[in-house]
Coordinates of all heavy atoms in Angstrom, one line a residue:
M1056 N 46.5 -61.6 -61.5 CA 45.2 -60.9 -61.6 C 45.3 -59.4 -61.4 O 46.0 -59.0 -60.5 CB 44.2 -61.5 -60.6 CG 42.8 -60.8 -60.6 SD 41.7 -61.5 -59.3 CE 41.6 -63.1 -59.8
A1057 N 44.8 -58.6 -62.4 CA 44.8 -57.2 -62.3 C 44.0 -56.7 -61.1 O 43.0 -57.3 -60.7 CB 44.3 -56.5 -63.5
N1058 N 44.4 -55.6 -60.5 CA 43.7 -55.0 -59.3 C 42.3 -54.7 -59.6 O 41.4 -54.9 -58.8 CB 44.4 -53.8 -58.8 CG 45.7 -54.2 -58.1 OD1 45.8 -55.2 -57.3 ND2 46.7 -53.4 -58.4
E1059 N 42.0 -54.2 -60.8 CA 40.6 -54.0 -61.2 C 39.8 -55.2 -61.2 O 38.6 -55.3 -60.8 CB 40.6 -53.2 -62.5 CG 41.0 -51.8 -62.5 CD 42.5 -51.6 -62.5 OE1 43.3 -52.6 -62.7 OE2 43.0 -50.5 -62.1
Q1060 N 40.4 -56.4 -61.6 CA 39.7 -57.6 -61.7 C 39.5 -58.1 -60.2 O 38.4 -58.6 -59.9 CB 40.5 -58.7 -62.4 CG 40.5 -58.4 -63.9 CD 41.5 -59.4 -64.6 OE1 42.6 -59.7 -64.0 NE2 41.1 -60.0 -65.7
A1061 N 40.4 -57.9 -59.4 CA 40.3 -58.3 -58.0 C 39.2 -57.5 -57.3 O 38.3 -58.1 -56.7 CB 41.6 -58.1 -57.2
L1062 N 39.2 -56.2 -57.5 CA 38.1 -55.4 -57.0 C 36.7 -55.8 -57.5 O 35.7 -55.9 -56.8 CB 38.3 -53.9 -57.4 CG 37.2 -52.9 -56.8 CD1 37.0 -53.0 -55.4 CD2 37.5 -51.6 -57.3
G1063 N 36.6 -56.2 -58.8 CA 35.4 -56.7 -59.4 C 34.9 -57.9 -58.7 O 33.7 -58.1 -58.4
L1064 N 35.8 -58.9 -58.4 CA 35.5 -60.1 -57.7 C 35.0 -59.9 -56.2 O 34.1 -60.4 -55.7 CB 36.7 -61.1 -57.7 CG 37.1 -61.6 -59.0 CD1 38.3 -62.5 -58.9 CD2 35.9 -62.5 -59.7
V1065 N 35.7 -58.8 -55.6 CA 35.2 -58.4 -54.3 C 33.8 -57.9 -54.3 O 33.0 -58.2 -53.5 CB 36.2 -57.4 -53.7 CG1 35.7 -56.8 -52.4 CG2 37.6 -58.2 -53.3
E1066 N 33.6 -57.0 -55.3 CA 32.3 -56.4 -55.3 C 31.2 -57.3 -55.7 O 30.0 -57.1 -55.3 CB 32.3 -55.2 -56.4 CG 33.2 -54.0 -56.0 CD 33.3 -53.0 -57.1 OE1 33.1 -53.4 -58.3 OE2 33.7 -51.9 -56.7
K1067 N 31.5 -58.4 -56.5 CA 30.5 -59.3 -56.9 C 30.3 -60.4 -55.8 O 29.5 -61.3 -56.0 CB 30.9 -60.0 -58.3 CG 30.9 -59.1 -59.4 CD 31.3 -59.7 -60.7 CE 31.4 -58.7 -61.8 NZ 32.0 -59.4 -63.0
G1068 N 31.1 -60.4 -54.8 CA 31.0 -61.4 -53.8 C 31.7 -62.7 -54.1 O 31.4 -63.8 -53.6
Q1069 N 32.5 -62.6 -55.1 CA 33.2 -63.9 -55.6 C 34.6 -64.1 -54.9 O 35.2 -65.1 -55.2 CB 33.3 -63.8 -57.1 CG 32.0 -63.8 -57.8 CD 32.2 -63.8 -59.4 OE1 33.2 -63.3 -59.9 NE2 31.0 -64.1 -60.0
A1070 N 35.0 -63.2 -54.2 CA 36.3 -63.3 -53.5 C 36.1 -62.6 -52.1 O 35.3 -61.9 -52.0 CB 37.4 -62.7 -54.4
F1071 N 37.1 -62.9 -51.3 CA 37.1 -62.3 -50.0 C 35.9 -62.5 -49.2 O 35.5 -61.8 -48.3 CB 37.3 -60.8 -50.1 CG 38.0 -60.1 -49.0 CD1 39.0 -60.7 -48.3 CD2 37.6 -58.8 -48.6 CE1 39.6 -60.1 -47.2 CE2 38.2 -58.2 -47.5 CZ 39.2 -58.9 -46.8
E1072 N 35.2 -63.6 -49.4 CA 34.0 -64.0 -48.7 C 34.5 -65.1 -47.7 O 35.5 -65.8 -47.9 CB 32.9 -64.6 -49.6 CG 32.3 -63.5 -50.5 CD 31.7 -62.3 -49.8 OE1 31.0 -62.5 -48.8 OE2 32.0 -61.2 -50.2
P1073 N 33.7 -65.3 -46.6 CA 34.2 -66.2 -45.5 C 34.5 -67.6 -46.0 O 35.4 -68.2 -45.4 CB 33.0 -66.3 -44.5 CG 32.3 -64.9 -44.8 CD 32.5 -64.6 -46.3
G1074 N 33.9 -68.2 -47.0 CA 34.2 -69.5 -47.4 C 35.4 -69.6 -48.3 O 35.9 -70.7 -48.6
S1075 N 36.0 -68.5 -48.8 CA 37.1 -68.6 -49.8 C 38.4 -68.5 -49.0 O 38.4 -68.1 -47.8 CB 37.1 -67.4 -50.7 OG 37.3 -66.1 -50.1
D1076 N 39.6 -68.9 -49.6 CA 40.8 -68.8 -49.0 C 41.2 -67.3 -48.6 O 41.6 -67.0 -47.6 CB 41.9 -69.3 -49.8 CG 41.9 -70.9 -49.9 OD1 41.3 -71.5 -49.0 OD2 42.4 -71.4 -50.9
I1077 N 40.8 -66.4 -49.5 CA 41.1 -65.0 -49.3 C 40.3 -64.5 -48.1 O 40.6 -63.6 -47.3 CB 40.9 -64.2 -50.5 CG1 41.9 -64.5 -51.6 CG2 40.9 -62.7 -50.2 CD1 41.6 -63.9 -53.0
G1078 N 39.0 -65.1 -48.0 CA 38.1 -64.7 -46.9 C 38.6 -65.0 -45.5 O 38.0 -64.5 -44.6
K1079 N 39.6 -65.8 -45.4 CA 40.2 -66.1 -44.1 C 41.0 -64.8 -43.5 O 41.3 -64.8 -42.3 CB 41.1 -67.3 -44.1 CG 40.3 -68.5 -44.4 CD 41.2 -69.7 -44.7 CE 40.4 -70.9 -45.2 NZ 41.3 -72.1 -45.5
A1080 N 41.3 -63.9 -44.4 CA 42.1 -62.7 -44.0 C 41.3 -61.7 -43.5 O 40.1 -61.5 -43.9 CB 42.9 -62.3 -45.2
D1081 N 41.8 -60.9 -42.6 CA 41.0 -59.7 -42.0 C 41.1 -58.6 -43.0 O 40.2 -57.8 -43.1 CB 41.6 -59.3 -40.7 CG 41.4 -60.3 -39.6 OD1 40.2 -60.9 -39.5 OD2 42.3 -60.5 -38.8
M1082 N 42.3 -58.5 -43.7 CA 42.5 -57.3 -44.6 C 43.1 -57.9 -45.9 O 43.9 -58.8 -45.9 CB 43.5 -56.4 -44.0 CG 43.0 -55.7 -42.7 SD 44.1 -54.5 -42.1 CE 43.6 -53.1 -43.1
L1083 N 42.7 -57.4 -47.1 CA 43.2 -57.8 -48.4 C 43.8 -56.6 -49.0 O 43.0 -55.5 -49.1 CB 42.0 -58.3 -49.2 CG 42.4 -58.6 -50.7 CD1 43.6 -59.7 -50.7 CD2 41.2 -59.1 -51.5
L1084 N 45.1 -56.5 -49.2 CA 45.7 -55.4 -49.7 C 46.3 -55.5 -51.1 O 47.0 -56.5 -51.4 CB 46.9 -55.1 -48.8 CG 47.8 -53.8 -49.0 CD1 46.9 -52.6 -48.8 CD2 48.9 -53.8 -48.0
A1085 N 45.9 -54.8 -52.0 CA 46.2 -54.9 -53.4 C 47.0 -53.6 -53.8 O 46.8 -52.5 -53.1 CB 45.0 -54.9 -54.3
A1086 N 47.8 -53.7 -54.8 CA 48.7 -52.5 -55.1 C 48.4 -52.0 -56.5 O 47.8 -52.6 -57.3 CB 50.2 -52.9 -55.0
H1087 N 48.9 -50.7 -56.7 CA 48.8 -50.0 -58.0 C 47.5 -49.9 -58.6 O 47.2 -50.3 -59.8 CB 49.7 -50.8 -59.0 CG 50.1 -50.0 -60.2 ND1 51.2 -49.2 -60.2 CD2 49.6 -49.9 -61.4 CE1 51.3 -48.6 -61.4 NE2 50.3 -49.0 -62.2
G1088 N 46.6 -49.3 -57.8 CA 45.2 -49.1 -58.3 C 44.9 -47.8 -58.9 O 43.7 -47.6 -59.2
H1089 N 45.8 -46.9 -59.1 CA 45.7 -45.6 -59.6 C 44.9 -44.7 -58.8 O 44.8 -43.5 -59.1 CB 45.1 -45.6 -61.1 CG 46.0 -46.4 -62.0 ND1 47.1 -45.9 -62.6 CD2 45.9 -47.7 -62.5 CE1 47.7 -46.8 -63.3 NE2 46.9 -47.9 -63.2
H1090 N 44.3 -45.1 -57.8 CA 43.6 -44.2 -56.7 C 43.4 -45.2 -55.5 O 43.4 -46.4 -55.6 CB 42.3 -43.7 -57.2 CG 41.3 -44.8 -57.6 ND1 41.3 -45.5 -58.8 CD2 40.3 -45.3 -56.9 CE1 40.3 -46.3 -58.7 NE2 39.7 -46.3 -57.6
L1091 N 43.3 -44.5 -54.4 CA 43.0 -45.3 -53.1 C 41.5 -45.7 -53.1 O 40.6 -44.9 -53.4 CB 43.3 -44.3 -51.9 CG 42.9 -44.9 -50.5 CD1 43.7 -46.2 -50.2 CD2 43.1 -43.9 -49.5
H1092 N 41.4 -47.0 -52.8 CA 40.0 -47.5 -52.6 C 40.0 -48.4 -51.4 O 40.8 -49.3 -51.3 CB 39.6 -48.3 -53.9 CG 38.2 -49.0 -53.7 ND1 37.1 -48.4 -54.2 CD2 37.8 -50.1 -53.2 CE1 36.1 -49.1 -53.9 NE2 36.5 -50.1 -53.4
I1093 N 39.1 -48.1 -50.5 CA 38.9 -48.9 -49.2 C 37.6 -49.3 -49.2 O 36.6 -48.5 -49.2 CB 39.3 -48.1 -48.0 CG1 40.8 -47.7 -48.1 CG2 39.1 -48.9 -46.7 CD1 41.2 -46.8 -47.0
E1094 N 37.3 -50.6 -49.0 CA 35.9 -51.2 -48.9 C 35.8 -52.2 -47.7 O 36.7 -53.0 -47.6 CB 35.6 -51.9 -50.2 CG 34.1 -52.4 -50.3 CD 33.8 -52.9 -51.6 OE1 34.5 -52.6 -52.6 OE2 32.8 -53.8 -51.6
Q1095 N 34.8 -52.0 -47.0 CA 34.6 -52.9 -45.8 C 33.5 -53.9 -46.2 O 32.5 -53.4 -46.7 CB 34.3 -52.1 -44.6 CG 35.4 -51.3 -44.1 CD 35.2 -50.6 -42.8 OE1 34.1 -49.9 -42.7 NE2 36.1 -50.7 -41.9
K1096 N 33.8 -55.2 -46.0 CA 32.8 -56.3 -46.2 C 32.6 -56.9 -44.8 O 33.4 -57.7 -44.5 CB 33.4 -57.2 -47.2 CG 33.5 -56.7 -48.6 CD 32.1 -56.5 -49.2 CE 32.1 -57.0 -50.7 NZ 30.8 -57.0 -51.2
G1097 N 31.6 -56.6 -44.1 CA 31.5 -57.1 -42.8 C 32.6 -56.8 -41.9 O 33.0 -55.6 -41.7
S1098 N 33.3 -57.7 -41.4 CA 34.4 -57.5 -40.5 C 35.8 -57.4 -41.2 O 36.8 -57.2 -40.7 CB 34.6 -58.5 -39.4 OG 34.8 -59.8 -40.0
R1099 N 35.7 -57.5 -42.5 CA 37.0 -57.6 -43.4 C 37.1 -56.2 -44.2 O 36.1 -55.5 -44.5 CB 36.9 -58.7 -44.4 CG 36.9 -60.1 -43.5 CD 36.7 -61.2 -44.4 NE 35.5 -61.2 -45.4 CZ 34.4 -61.4 -45.0 NH1 34.0 -61.7 -43.8 NH2 33.3 -61.3 -45.9
T1100 N 38.3 -55.9 -44.5 CA 38.6 -54.7 -45.3 C 39.4 -55.0 -46.5 O 40.5 -55.6 -46.4 CB 39.4 -53.7 -44.3 OG1 38.6 -53.4 -43.1 CG2 39.6 -52.4 -45.0
Y1101 N 39.0 -54.5 -47.6 CA 39.8 -54.5 -48.9 C 40.4 -53.2 -49.2 O 39.7 -52.2 -49.1 CB 38.8 -54.9 -50.1 CG 39.4 -54.9 -51.3 CD1 40.3 -55.9 -51.7 CD2 39.2 -53.8 -52.2 CE1 40.9 -55.9 -53.0 CE2 39.9 -53.8 -53.4 CZ 40.7 -54.8 -53.9 OH 41.3 -54.8 -55.1
I1102 N 41.6 -53.2 -49.4 CA 42.3 -51.9 -49.6 C 43.1 -52.0 -51.0 O 43.9 -52.9 -51.2 CB 43.4 -51.5 -48.5 CG1 42.7 -51.5 -47.2 CG2 44.1 -50.2 -48.9 CD1 43.6 -51.5 -46.0
M1103 N 42.8 -51.0 -52.0 CA 43.7 -50.9 -53.2 C 44.5 -49.7 -53.0 O 43.9 -48.5 -52.9 CB 42.7 -50.9 -54.4 CG 43.5 -50.9 -55.7 SD 42.6 -50.6 -57.2 CE 41.4 -52.0 -57.1
N1104 N 45.8 -49.9 -52.9 CA 46.7 -48.7 -52.9 C 46.7 -48.0 -54.2 O 46.6 -48.5 -55.2 CB 48.1 -49.3 -52.6 CG 48.2 -49.8 -51.2 OD1 48.2 -49.1 -50.4 ND2 48.6 -51.1 -51.1
P1105 N 47.0 -46.7 -54.0 CA 47.2 -45.9 -55.2 C 48.6 -46.3 -55.9 O 49.5 -46.7 -55.2 CB 47.2 -44.4 -54.7 CG 47.6 -44.5 -53.2 CD 47.2 -45.8 -52.8
A1106 N 48.7 -46.0 -57.2 CA 50.0 -46.2 -57.9 C 50.9 -45.1 -57.4 O 50.5 -44.0 -57.0 CB 49.7 -46.0 -59.4
Q1107 N 52.2 -45.4 -57.6 CA 53.2 -44.4 -57.2 C 53.6 -43.6 -58.4 O 54.5 -42.6 -58.3 CB 54.3 -45.0 -56.5 CG 53.9 -45.6 -55.1 CD 54.9 -46.1 -54.2 OE1 56.1 -46.3 -54.8 NE2 54.7 -46.4 -53.0
E1108 N 53.2 -43.9 -59.6 CA 53.7 -43.1 -60.8 C 53.0 -41.9 -60.9 O 51.8 -41.7 -60.4 CB 53.5 -44.0 -62.0 CG 52.0 -44.3 -62.3 CD 51.9 -45.4 -63.4 OE1 52.9 -45.9 -63.9 OE2 50.7 -45.8 -63.6
S1109 N 53.7 -40.9 -61.4 CA 53.0 -39.6 -61.5 C 51.9 -39.5 -62.5 O 50.9 -38.6 -62.4 CB 54.2 -38.5 -61.8 OG 54.7 -38.7 -63.0
E1110 N 52.0 -40.2 -63.6 CA 50.9 -40.2 -64.6 C 51.0 -41.5 -65.3 O 52.0 -42.0 -65.7 CB 51.1 -39.1 -65.6 CG 50.0 -39.0 -66.5 CD 49.9 -37.8 -67.4 OE1 50.4 -36.8 -67.0 OE2 49.5 -37.9 -68.6
S1111 N 49.8 -42.1 -65.6 CA 49.8 -43.3 -66.4 C 49.0 -43.1 -67.7 O 47.8 -42.7 -67.6 CB 49.0 -44.4 -65.6 OG 48.7 -45.6 -66.5
T1112 N 49.6 -43.1 -68.8 CA 48.9 -42.9 -70.1 C 47.9 -43.9 -70.3 O 46.8 -43.6 -70.7 CB 50.0 -43.0 -71.2 OG1 51.0 -42.0 -71.0 CG2 49.3 -42.7 -72.6
W1113 N 48.1 -45.2 -69.9 CA 47.1 -46.3 -70.0 C 45.9 -45.9 -69.2 O 44.8 -46.0 -69.8 CB 47.7 -47.6 -69.5 CG 46.7 -48.7 -69.6 CD1 46.5 -49.5 -70.6 CD2 45.8 -49.1 -68.6 NE1 45.4 -50.4 -70.4 CE2 45.0 -50.2 -69.1 CE3 45.6 -48.7 -67.2 CZ2 44.0 -50.8 -68.3 CZ3 44.6 -49.4 -66.4 CH2 43.9 -50.4 -67.1
W1114 N 46.1 -45.5 -68.0 CA 45.0 -45.2 -67.1 C 44.2 -44.0 -67.7 O 42.9 -44.0 -67.8 CB 45.4 -44.9 -65.7 CG 44.2 -44.6 -64.7 CD1 43.9 -43.4 -64.2 CD2 43.3 -45.5 -64.2 NE1 42.8 -43.5 -63.5 CE2 42.4 -44.8 -63.4 CE3 43.1 -46.9 -64.3 CZ2 41.4 -45.4 -62.7 CZ3 42.1 -47.5 -63.6 CH2 41.2 -46.7 -62.8
K1115 N 44.8 -43.0 -68.1 CA 44.3 -41.8 -68.8 C 43.4 -42.1 -70.0 O 42.2 -41.7 -70.1 CB 45.2 -40.8 -69.0 CG 44.7 -39.4 -69.6 CD 45.8 -38.5 -69.8 CE 45.3 -37.2 -70.4 NZ 46.4 -36.3 -70.6
N1116 N 44.0 -43.0 -70.8 CA 43.3 -43.5 -72.0 C 42.1 -44.5 -71.7 O 41.1 -44.3 -72.4 CB 44.3 -44.2 -73.0 CG 45.2 -43.3 -73.6 OD1 45.1 -42.1 -73.7 ND2 46.3 -43.9 -74.1
Q1117 N 42.2 -45.2 -70.7 CA 41.1 -46.0 -70.3 C 39.9 -45.3 -69.6 O 38.7 -45.6 -69.8 CB 41.6 -47.1 -69.3 CG 42.5 -48.1 -69.9 CD 41.8 -49.0 -70.9 OE1 40.7 -49.6 -70.7 NE2 42.4 -49.2 -72.1
T1118 N 40.3 -44.3 -68.8 CA 39.2 -43.8 -67.9 C 39.0 -42.2 -68.2 O 38.0 -41.7 -67.7 CB 39.6 -43.9 -66.5 OG1 40.8 -43.0 -66.2 CG2 39.9 -45.3 -66.1
G1119 N 39.9 -41.6 -68.9 CA 39.8 -40.2 -69.1 C 40.2 -39.4 -67.8 O 40.1 -38.2 -67.8
D1120 N 40.8 -40.1 -66.8 CA 41.1 -39.5 -65.5 C 42.5 -39.6 -65.2 O 43.2 -40.5 -65.8 CB 40.3 -40.2 -64.4 CG 40.3 -39.5 -63.1 OD1 40.7 -38.3 -63.0 OD2 39.9 -40.1 -62.1
H1121 N 43.1 -38.8 -64.4 CA 44.4 -38.9 -64.0 C 44.5 -39.7 -62.6 O 43.4 -39.6 -61.9 CB 45.0 -37.5 -63.7 CG 45.2 -36.7 -64.9 ND1 46.2 -36.8 -65.8 CD2 44.4 -35.7 -65.4 CE1 46.1 -36.0 -66.8 NE2 45.0 -35.3 -66.5
G1122 N 45.5 -40.5 -62.5 CA 45.5 -41.2 -61.1 C 45.8 -40.2 -60.1 O 46.1 -39.0 -60.3
A1123 N 45.8 -40.7 -58.8 CA 46.2 -39.9 -57.6 C 47.4 -40.6 -57.0 O 47.1 -41.5 -56.2 CB 45.0 -39.7 -56.7
P1124 N 48.6 -40.4 -57.4 CA 49.7 -41.1 -56.9 C 50.0 -40.9 -55.5 O 49.7 -39.9 -54.9 CB 50.9 -40.7 -57.8 CG 50.5 -39.3 -58.2 CD 49.0 -39.3 -58.3
G1125 N 50.6 -41.9 -54.8 CA 51.0 -41.7 -53.4 C 51.3 -43.1 -52.8 O 51.1 -44.2 -53.4
A1126 N 51.8 -43.0 -51.6 CA 52.0 -44.3 -50.9 C 51.1 -44.2 -49.6 O 51.0 -43.2 -48.9 CB 53.5 -44.3 -50.4
L1127 N 50.5 -45.4 -49.4 CA 49.5 -45.5 -48.3 C 50.2 -46.0 -47.0 O 51.0 -46.9 -47.0 CB 48.5 -46.5 -48.7 CG 47.3 -46.8 -47.6 CD1 46.5 -45.5 -47.2 CD2 46.5 -48.0 -48.0
T1128 N 49.9 -45.3 -45.9 CA 50.4 -45.7 -44.6 C 49.2 -45.9 -43.7 O 48.2 -45.2 -43.9 CB 51.3 -44.7 -44.0 OG1 50.6 -43.5 -43.7 CG2 52.5 -44.4 -44.8
F1129 N 49.2 -46.9 -42.8 CA 48.1 -47.1 -41.9 C 48.6 -48.0 -40.7 O 49.7 -48.6 -40.9 CB 46.9 -47.6 -42.5 CG 47.0 -49.0 -43.2 CD1 46.7 -50.2 -42.5 CD2 47.5 -49.1 -44.5 CE1 46.8 -51.4 -43.2 CE2 47.6 -50.3 -45.2 CZ 47.3 -51.5 -44.5
I1130 N 47.9 -48.1 -39.7 CA 48.3 -48.9 -38.5 C 47.2 -50.1 -38.5 O 46.0 -49.8 -38.7 CB 48.3 -48.1 -37.3 CG1 49.3 -46.9 -37.3 CG2 48.4 -48.9 -36.0 CD1 49.1 -45.9 -36.3
T1131 N 47.8 -51.3 -38.2 CA 46.7 -52.4 -37.9 C 46.8 -52.7 -36.4 O 47.8 -52.7 -35.8 CB 47.0 -53.6 -38.8 OG1 48.4 -54.0 -38.5 CG2 47.0 -53.2 -40.2
E1132 N 45.7 -53.1 -36.0 CA 45.5 -53.6 -34.6 C 44.3 -54.5 -34.5 O 43.2 -54.1 -34.9 CB 45.4 -52.4 -33.7 CG 45.4 -52.8 -32.2 CD 45.4 -51.5 -31.2 OE1 45.3 -50.4 -31.8 OE2 45.4 -51.8 -30.0
D1133 N 44.4 -55.7 -34.0 CA 43.4 -56.6 -33.8 C 42.6 -56.9 -35.2 O 41.3 -56.9 -35.2 CB 42.4 -56.2 -32.8 CG 43.1 -56.1 -31.4 OD1 44.0 -57.0 -31.1 OD2 42.7 -55.3 -30.6
G1134 N 43.4 -57.0 -36.3 CA 42.7 -57.2 -37.6 C 42.0 -56.0 -38.2 O 41.3 -56.2 -39.2
K1135 N 42.2 -54.9 -37.6 CA 41.5 -53.7 -38.2 C 42.6 -52.6 -38.5 O 43.6 -52.5 -37.9 CB 40.6 -53.0 -37.1 CG 39.5 -54.0 -36.5 CD 38.4 -54.2 -37.5 CE 37.4 -55.1 -36.9 NZ 36.8 -56.0 -37.8
G1136 N 42.3 -51.9 -39.5 CA 43.2 -50.7 -39.9 C 42.6 -49.4 -39.5 O 41.4 -49.2 -39.3
R1137 N 43.5 -48.4 -39.3 CA 43.1 -47.1 -38.8 C 44.2 -46.1 -39.3 O 45.3 -46.5 -39.5 CB 42.8 -47.0 -37.4 CG 44.0 -47.3 -36.5 CD 43.6 -47.2 -35.0 NE 44.7 -47.6 -34.1 CZ 45.7 -46.9 -33.7 NH1 45.8 -45.6 -34.1 NH2 46.7 -47.5 -33.0
G1138 N 43.9 -44.9 -39.4 CA 44.8 -43.9 -39.6 C 45.3 -43.9 -41.1 O 46.5 -43.7 -41.4
Y1139 N 44.4 -44.2 -42.0 CA 44.8 -44.3 -43.4 C 45.3 -42.9 -44.0 O 44.5 -41.9 -43.8 CB 43.7 -44.8 -44.3 CG 43.1 -46.2 -43.9 CD1 42.0 -46.3 -43.1 CD2 43.8 -47.3 -44.3 CE1 41.5 -47.7 -42.8 CE2 43.4 -48.6 -44.0 CZ 42.2 -48.7 -43.2 OH 41.8 -49.9 -42.9
T1140 N 46.5 -42.9 -44.5 CA 47.0 -41.7 -45.0 C 47.8 -41.9 -46.3 O 48.6 -42.8 -46.3 CB 48.0 -40.9 -44.0 OG1 47.3 -40.8 -42.7 CG2 48.5 -39.6 -44.4
V1141 N 47.5 -41.1 -47.3 CA 48.3 -41.2 -48.6 C 49.3 -40.1 -48.5 O 48.9 -38.9 -48.3 CB 47.4 -41.1 -49.8 CG1 48.3 -41.2 -51.0 CG2 46.4 -42.3 -49.8
V1142 N 50.6 -40.5 -48.6 CA 51.7 -39.5 -48.6 C 52.3 -39.4 -50.0 O 52.3 -40.3 -50.8 CB 52.7 -39.7 -47.5 CG1 52.0 -39.6 -46.2 CG2 53.3 -41.1 -47.6

């Protein structure tokens, strides 16, 4: 499943909800999202990492935007994330 599809399911309440298998997780981490996206749903957190490529022709053609490449670092403690930094 593409990250954009996963984000759509999260936004529509069709995934990462308490009754789903994914909903049992405190954090859901997806990769290669062309930009950092962090969304909190109650006590759970959905994170889409930025892509690491410097430029995606596909993304530029789809959105007219350039991605924001980088690697995400953060600390987890008791099911919560903190100190989110893109390097």
Side-chain angles (χ1 to χ4, degrees):
M1056 175 181 302
N1058 287 318
E1059 287 78 15
Q1060 289 174 318
L1062 177 58
L1064 292 176
V1065 169
E1066 289 174 341
K1067 293 177 185 175
Q1069 296 174 343
F1071 205 41
E1072 295 302 317
S1075 71
D1076 288 338
I1077 294 172
K1079 296 174 186 173
D1081 295 318
M1082 301 181 84
L1083 175 60
L1084 186 63
H1087 198 86
H1089 298 284
H1090 62 280
L1091 175 63
H1092 179 91
I1093 300 173
E1094 182 174 340
Q1095 293 183 310
K1096 293 283 223 178
S1098 63
R1099 297 173 310 281
T1100 305
Y1101 172 79
I1102 302 168
M1103 185 184 301
N1104 287 297
Q1107 293 185 349
E1108 62 194 358
S1109 60
E1110 183 174 327
S1111 168
T1112 303
W1113 178 87
W1114 182 254
K1115 185 177 177 182
N1116 289 339
Q1117 291 292 312
T1118 66
D1120 194 13
H1121 295 281
L1127 177 65
T1128 64
F1129 60 96
I1130 297 168
T1131 60
E1132 185 175 3
D1133 297 326
K1135 305 284 184 218
R1137 62 180 170 87
Y1139 299 100
T1140 305
V1141 176
V1142 294

